[in-house]
Amino acid sequence: MTAAAALAGLGTAVGGAAPADAAPALSSPARASGGLAHPGMLHTQADFDRMKTEVKAGTAPYKAGYAVLAANPHAQSTWKPNPLARVVRGGGTNVGTLYHDVHAAYQNALRWKVTGVSAHADAARDILNAWSAKLTALDGNADRFIAAGLHGYQFANAAEIMRGYPGFDLARFRTMLVDVFYRQSSDFLAHHNGAYVTNYWGSWDLLSVACVLATGILCDDRDKVDEAVTYFKSGKGNGSVKNLIPHILPGGLGQWVEVGRDQGHPTLGVGLAGAIAEMAWNQGIDLYGYDDNRLLKGFEYVAKWNLGHDVPYIPQTWNYGAPGVWSGSRTLTAASADSRGARRPIWESIYNHYVNRRGLNAPYVSEYARKVRPEGGGGNYGEGGGFDQLGFGTLAFTRPKAIVSPGTPVPSQGATTDSGTTTATGRPANPTSGGTRAQGDRGDDLAATGAGAVAAVAATGVLAIAGGVIALRRRGASDRG
């Protein structure tokens, strides 16, 4: 079998001792009897209360963030669902029908929480119910795993917002989510479509982890939550955090596994990792700070390169193929300029966690967040890759700065190089103020945000991804997967 033929069967690849992570019960989300918190995915009730209050008051940047949401065609209460029994991605596709409705459900649900207008809740409920009543299969080539992961975790987030709303059939939606989306994502993490575990880059693993985690939360299934968290920490594939960020470099930077490939995929991965970390955080699990803030170092690396700055790069070999079928390798020797400067609505949640919630420095993440503010969502960034993330982070994740006590221990942002040299670079962003401290590396004060001014921002309109679409896959023979 030729390499090209083997790839056609396998699909192509997206990409190639820790601090305590469990924290005391959160004060915001209501906890189910199984110990999971609701609402407790990307947003908690405290988040919704903050959005509603600040939008009503016309506070910047919430006002601009909500304006982008309200203007999106998917966020209109007149949206009508178009459910399918069978969705296909790869080898023929109708997946756009699914993701347009997924984003319409999420955006209407979010508008309802901010405005209290029941027409938006009715629209979101009707979309969710229509799909759970009809969808039974998600097919295609290996790209079906992409659809399962991305749109499974997104759909689950819409359903989590609508939990308890009159007429929403949560039980039926849970069944659909498990049977159609979760099973494929879980199988991918276990078997990687029969390929070598290194064949698929980090983004494939991350979108699958996101779906497994969101399914566990929606279904009050602690085993599924543990499955996702365990894979993120110690899985064999490129989306496990130490494989996702294999090299810690000077200057508080962590080399992202796909940066040598292009920039569409690393920024996709940043958005997925941020979503996973936020969902876990709202369940009392700190993946943001896991392994001495490894994610932050990776986020800073991707942001720095895509903002136009130089970054160090350690050559990386990608091994691809499938046992008994074919195999090969390719060595990446420098950070790629392909799609450099990619714009996705992914930075606000990351910035607001590290800088405002935890009081840490994240200079390049902060700069990127300013650059794309106010963030839009599906429908604001073109077709295809423009629906890879739910977005609207300026509205949803802006929060007051945490008050950090002098001398508060925080996870180090120092960088240990591969040779073992440590460079201390990180400090609390506000080390002289008193009051509530941001969480350190011991799992305490998980949701402490304190009180303080929200940084003023300029609302300058939503910027489109270059070219309208960032493809989730590259099909050229020189960059398989």
Side-chain angles (χ1 to χ4, degrees):
M1 181 181 290
T2 66
L7 269 180
L10 285 170
T12 54
V14 177
D21 51 272
L26 303 178
S27 59
S28 302
R31 292 193 168 272
S33 58
L36 298 180
H38 303 293
M41 286 192 209
L42 289 176
H43 317 298
T44 68
Q45 188 57 47
D47 295 330
F48 293 130
D49 292 344
R50 183 182 65 251
M51 291 181 233
K52 185 172 185 176
T53 297
E54 300 297 352
V55 169
K56 184 176 181 180
T59 306
Y62 300 93
K63 181 179 178 180
Y66 179 74
V68 177
L69 171 64
N72 192 303
H74 297 77
Q76 309 312 308
S77 62
T78 53
W79 188 279
K80 300 300 180 186
N82 186 23
L84 302 171
R86 176 174 177 263
V87 168
V88 179
R89 174 164 177 160
T93 185
N94 61 3
V95 71
T97 302
L98 169 65
Y99 65 63
H100 280 285
D101 274 4
V102 169
H103 284 256
Y106 173 77
Q107 292 179 28
N108 271 284
L110 193 57
R111 283 195 76 180
W112 167 57
K113 282 294 190 179
V114 173
T115 67
V117 175
S118 61
H120 291 296
D122 292 346
R125 175 199 62 201
D126 293 347
I127 295 167
L128 298 171
N129 283 346
W131 279 90
S132 69
K134 192 165 185 178
L135 181 63
T136 58
L138 202 167
D139 296 324
N141 61 21
D143 280 8
R144 70 189 183 276
F145 295 112
I146 298 173
L150 283 178
H151 308 310
Y153 104 82
Q154 293 169 347
F155 230 171
N157 267 274
E160 178 74 357
I161 298 173
M162 298 309 300
R163 177 188 291 270
Y165 188 75
F168 172 44
D169 194 335
L170 177 61
R172 190 175 71 196
F173 190 91
R174 283 170 159 176
T175 298
M176 177 202 69
L177 185 66
V178 170
D179 291 347
V180 178
F181 297 92
Y182 162 79
R183 292 193 194 285
Q184 299 216 41
S185 292
S186 180
D187 182 74
F188 181 83
L189 294 177
H191 303 109
H192 287 86
N193 198 32
Y196 292 117
V197 72
T198 56
N199 182 75
Y200 291 94
W201 294 85
S203 304
W204 290 76
D205 276 0
L206 289 173
L207 56 86
S208 299
V209 168
C211 180
V212 171
L213 177 58
T215 301
I217 295 169
L218 189 73
C219 295
D220 287 312
D221 189 331
R222 174 63 68 177
D223 288 343
K224 289 180 174 60
V225 172
D226 291 345
E227 177 187 355
V229 171
T230 298
Y231 192 93
F232 178 86
K233 291 180 177 181
S234 58
K236 301 297 185 182
N238 282 320
S240 177
V241 68
K242 292 184 182 180
N243 296 328
L244 185 69
I245 306 165
H247 305 295
I248 302 303
L249 305 167
L253 300 176
Q255 184 172 312
W256 199 272
V257 70
E258 288 183 84
V259 163
R261 181 185 181 206
D262 59 29
Q263 300 314 307
H265 293 94
T267 52
L268 169 63
V270 165
L272 290 166
I276 291 165
E278 186 68 17
M279 289 189 290
W281 178 272
N282 287 330
Q283 294 300 328
I285 303 165
D286 184 10
L287 299 183
Y288 280 115
Y290 179 74
D291 194 29
D292 197 25
N293 274 354
R294 198 176 191 94
L295 274 182
L296 174 57
K297 295 165 188 175
F299 294 151
E300 282 285 277
Y301 184 94
V302 175
K304 184 175 183 179
W305 175 248
N306 279 275
L307 286 166
H309 307 289
D310 291 337
V311 293
Y313 188 87
I314 295 175
Q316 180 169 326
T317 299
W318 169 39
N319 296 303
Y320 49 79
V325 182
W326 73 296
S327 64
S329 65
R330 176 186 173 198
T331 298
L332 307 174
T333 59
S336 173
D338 187 355
S339 302
R340 192 178 184 186
R343 294 179 182 271
R344 293 178 180 268
I346 59 177
W347 298 102
E348 290 279 33
S349 64
I350 296 166
Y351 161 74
N352 276 281
H353 174 78
Y354 288 110
V355 177
N356 286 347
R357 185 190 266 154
R358 294 185 80 165
L360 299 176
N361 288 323
Y364 299 107
V365 166
S366 299
E367 184 179 346
Y368 225 137
R370 289 192 297 271
K371 185 174 182 177
V372 300
R373 190 177 288 144
E375 289 181 355
N380 292 119
Y381 298 89
E383 197 64 28
F387 290 83
D388 288 346
Q389 48 279 310
L390 290 170
F392 302 106
T394 305
L395 168 67
F397 300 114
T398 299
R399 62 184 67 251
K401 287 182 180 289
I403 300 173
V404 183
S405 300
T408 297
V410 296
S412 168
Q413 287 173 271
T416 302
T417 68
D418 288 355
S419 63
T421 303
T422 300
T423 306
T425 60
R427 296 291 183 270
N430 186 14
T432 60
S433 60
T436 306
R437 67 186 184 184
Q439 185 196 3
D441 59 359
R442 296 174 297 174
D444 53 359
D445 294 335
L446 179 61
T449 56
V454 177
V457 297
T460 57
V462 176
L463 298 167
I465 294 174
V469 178
I470 289 182
L472 197 56
R473 308 165 57 189
R474 293 184 56 78
R475 301 178 185 273
S478 64
D479 192 1
R480 302 178 184 91

